[in-house]
Amino acid sequence: MHNRVLIALLVTLSISWIARPVAADPVADGTFVELMNTERSVAGLSPLEPYIDLVDDARIQTMAMMAAGDIYHSSNLAAVTTGWEALGENVGYGPTVAKLHRAFMASPHHRDNILGDYDRVGVYSDVDASGRMYVTVIFMRTQPGFEVPDLKGAERWPVAAMAGSAGFGVGVH
């Protein structure tokens, strides 16, 4: 009897471990920022600075999309933070950072956000158990005089080399 209970427990734990989402990768988030800032530099624009308040809301949106298995825009973007003059949002899913970035740049609306009149950005990406990456990018133009909190000592997003991948299509919204 005890052996059957132990085996059932081990099977349950194994299944839950296999089905769990892969942990978020801050390297991927930093790579998104790096790629957007490269595009902005080529266009003669100032770089976007990461803003932790936007990252928190991007995380909430990404996790909600992953749970739904679909992509959609935030229904309450205006409430994500204070001190903004303008906000924008890109959401998508696909196999890699590079492919998602190319899809965003190939879409006029998403490209307009990346090259838009913004100065702050929050990015959060995560990969579901099947390997599909979901991402939310929130753009912000700060109000004149708005003081962004100083995050000295906070770890900056690292940037990693990108690897190509096949499999899933890319979806942007």
Side-chain angles (χ1 to χ4, degrees), residues 48-159:
L48 297 166
E49 291 293 326
Y51 182 31
I52 193 68
D53 200 21
L54 299 176
V55 174
D56 289 341
D57 291 289
R59 179 185 56 78
I60 291 167
Q61 179 66 20
T62 296
M63 299 309 289
M65 292 186 309
M66 282 179 60
D70 197 8
I71 56 174
Y72 52 88
H73 286 282
S74 171
S75 62
N76 198 14
L77 189 60
V80 300
T81 192
T82 60
W84 59 270
E85 200 169 76
L87 294 169
E89 181 185 57
N90 287 354
V91 297
Y93 65 78
T96 66
V97 172
K99 288 184 179 186
L100 278 162
H101 177 72
R102 283 194 300 269
F104 284 146
M105 290 305 292
S107 163
H109 174 73
H110 297 96
R111 180 183 175 87
D112 287 349
N113 279 340
I114 291 169
L115 301 177
D117 186 16
Y118 299 109
D119 57 345
R120 305 286 173 204
V121 68
V123 178
Y124 191 88
S125 63
D126 205 346
V127 179
D128 69 12
S130 69
R132 177 182 280 175
M133 175 181 283
Y134 288 78
V135 65
T136 302
V137 183
I138 302 175
F139 302 90
M140 174 179 163
R141 181 175 63 238
T142 54
Q143 292 175 341
F146 179 72
E147 302 242 355
V148 175
D150 184 10
L151 297 176
K152 286 187 178 154
E155 185 177 323
R156 290 186 57 91
W157 284 325
V159 177

